[in-house]
Amino acid sequence: MNTFTKYLIGFAAALAGALVANAIGLPIPWLLGSLLATAVLSLNGLPVKAPGVCRKVGLTIIGISLGLYFTPDMVSLLLEYWPWLLFGMVFSVGLGVLGSLLLYRFTGVDFVTAWFASAMGGASEMANMADQKGAQIDKVVSAHSLRVLMIVTIVPFFYQYMGYQNIDNSVLQQNTQIHWDGLILLFGLAYMFARFFEWRRWSNPWTFGPLLAAILLTVSDIHLSAMPPVISKIGQLLIGWALGNKFSPGFFKSAPRLLSIVAVSVTISLLLTALATYILANISAIPLPTLGLGLAPGGVAEMTITAKVLQLGVPVVTAFHVSRMVAVIGTAGVLCRFMEGWLQRRM
C-alpha cells in the first residue's frame, strides 16, 4: 500500500469519526470524533497515518482563530486578570511536581524521566527536553499521549453533562466578516510567524506563531477576515487525526505500570483543578466554567478548541494556557535539577 493510499484511508477514517460524533451530539465532535476513530484503528494496526504537515496546518488554523478574539477591549479585560494568570502558572508547575513524585515513587523510572513525563508543558517540548537530558523519551511520550487522551475526553463530556455552554460573557464583540483575499493574507502572515518561531526554536511554533500574528493585527484594530466555520472544523479534524496516530498497537501494554500511575496522576490533577476552580470562582470575576478550562492540565490546542466550540471565554482560556506553557517550559530544566538534587539528599 503506497503512502498516498494510507493518508487517504486515514483522512476518511478521521472524517467519518467526526461526522458520526457530530451526528450523535458528542462534545467538540470534529476534534474528539476524529481522534477516537483514528486512535481505535491505529491501536488495531490499521493504516490511518497522518502526514507530518497535518498537525501544523491544524494548529495554524486554531492559532489564527484564537488570535482573532484579542480585540483591544479584550486585552484590557485580560490585564485585570493577571493575578489569576499568575496563580495558573504556579498551579500548573505544582501539578507537574506532584505527578513526577508519583511516577518516581511508584513506577521505578529515573526522576528525570518522571519529571518530563509529568510536566504540564507541550508533549513535543517535554519530549525534546527529556531527550537532551538523557531521559527515557518513549516513556515521556507515552505519558503525555495518555494525559492528552484522558483530558480531551473527560473534560468536554463533563462540560456537556453540566450544561456549560455559551454562558461566559467575557468574549467581547469581534469581527465576523469573511473576506477571502484578507484570509489568504492572514494565513500568509501566520505562516511567516510560524517559520520564524520554528527557526528560533521557540515553543509550539505552529500555534504560537499564528496566534501572535493574529493578536498583533486584531489588537491594532486591523481585521483582515474572520475564520470561516468550515475551516475551523477542518483544523480540529486535522489535530484529532494527528493525535490519534500516537496510539500504535501495543500502546497500553508497553509500560502498564507507568500508564496506570499516569492515569491516577491525571485523575488527581483533575480533582485538584476542580477544587482550585471552585475556590477561585468565588473570589474572582472569572466564570467557573472558563476557569476550569483555563486551569485544566490539557494541551493548549485541545482546551482552547473546547472553549471556542462551547463559547466559554476563549481569550481568557488561551491566556491561561499560553502563560502556563511559558512558565512550565521556562522552569522545567531548573526545577528538574533542583528536585533531583533534593531527592538525592533525602536518600
Side-chain angles (χ1 to χ4, degrees):
M1 185 181 296
N2 60 43
T3 302
F4 176 76
T5 303
K6 290 181 180 179
Y7 290 159
L8 186 61
I9 293 174
F11 178 76
L15 179 59
L19 291 173
V20 170
N22 187 58
I24 64 177
L26 292 187
I28 54 170
W30 292 90
L31 171 70
L32 192 56
S34 57
L35 188 160
L36 293 178
T38 53
V40 169
L41 294 176
S42 185
L43 284 167
N44 286 279
L46 296 177
V48 291
K49 188 171 180 60
V53 72
C54 176
R55 182 169 172 80
K56 292 181 179 180
V57 173
L59 291 175
T60 297
I61 293 171
I62 298 305
I64 293 172
S65 299
L66 299 176
L68 296 178
Y69 283 89
F70 285 78
T71 61
D73 288 340
M74 190 68 244
V75 172
S76 297
L77 180 62
L78 285 176
L79 290 175
E80 299 177 12
Y81 292 158
W82 72 264
W84 316 121
L85 296 176
L86 180 62
F87 172 85
M89 295 163 70
V90 175
F91 181 72
S92 294
V93 172
L95 289 181
V97 171
L98 175 61
S100 67
L101 294 175
L102 287 173
L103 262 63
Y104 179 67
R105 172 66 177 81
F106 294 107
T107 66
V109 300
D110 62 279
F111 181 75
V112 177
T113 297
W115 175 263
F116 287 106
S118 304
M120 299 299 173
S124 58
E125 285 79 9
M126 293 302 99
N128 289 335
M129 294 182 74
D131 189 35
Q132 295 170 10
K133 301 293 183 181
Q136 301 173 66
I137 190 171
D138 58 330
K139 290 183 170 58
V140 172
V141 172
S142 296
H144 282 287
S145 297
L146 180 59
R147 172 176 66 87
V148 170
L149 179 65
M150 289 183 65
I151 299 297
V152 84
T153 50
I154 292 172
V155 172
F157 275 107
F158 176 75
Y159 269 55
Q160 185 179 60
Y161 173 77
M162 295 296 293
Y164 292 156
Q165 184 170 356
N166 199 26
I167 57 177
D168 183 354
N169 61 4
S170 65
V171 178
L172 304 181
Q173 185 176 6
Q174 63 173 148
N175 175 50
T176 58
Q177 297 295 315
I178 298 171
H179 304 286
W180 292 102
D181 52 347
L183 187 64
I184 292 172
L185 177 58
L186 185 56
F187 269 97
L189 292 170
Y191 175 78
M192 292 172 58
F193 271 68
R195 290 303 301 269
F196 178 75
F197 271 54
E198 200 171 48
W199 174 64
R200 296 295 301 172
R201 298 181 183 275
W202 290 345
S203 173
N204 214 340
W206 293 92
T207 299
F208 291 164
L211 174 66
L212 179 59
I215 287 177
L216 290 176
L217 290 170
T218 306
V219 79
S220 302
D221 264 335
I222 300 173
H223 305 290
L224 297 178
S225 175
M227 182 65 68
V230 65
I231 295 183
S232 293
K233 291 176 181 177
I234 291 172
Q236 295 173 43
L237 184 148
L238 293 176
I239 293 173
W241 182 15
L243 289 173
N245 277 230
K246 295 180 180 294
F247 301 92
S248 56
F251 174 83
F252 290 104
K253 297 179 181 178
S254 59
R257 186 172 183 82
L258 173 73
L259 295 178
S260 298
I261 300 302
V262 168
V264 172
S265 175
V266 171
T267 302
I268 293 173
S269 294
L270 285 172
L271 293 173
L272 291 175
T273 299
L275 177 61
T277 299
Y278 178 77
I279 294 173
L280 259 65
N282 286 288
I283 58 177
S284 74
I286 308 174
L288 185 145
T290 299
L291 266 174
L293 288 179
L295 295 176
V300 177
E302 298 81 34
M303 293 299 94
T304 50
I305 287 172
T306 303
K308 187 175 187 303
V309 173
L310 299 181
Q311 288 298 296
L312 293 173
V314 179
V316 179
V317 174
T318 303
F320 266 101
H321 282 280
V322 171
S323 59
R324 182 258 301 174
M325 282 281 290
V326 171
V328 172
I329 293 172
T331 62
V334 174
L335 285 178
C336 180
R337 290 194 296 272
F338 173 79
M339 292 294 298
E340 189 176 23
W342 177 73
L343 287 171
Q344 289 175 349
R345 289 193 296 271
R346 288 176 56 90
M347 295 176 62

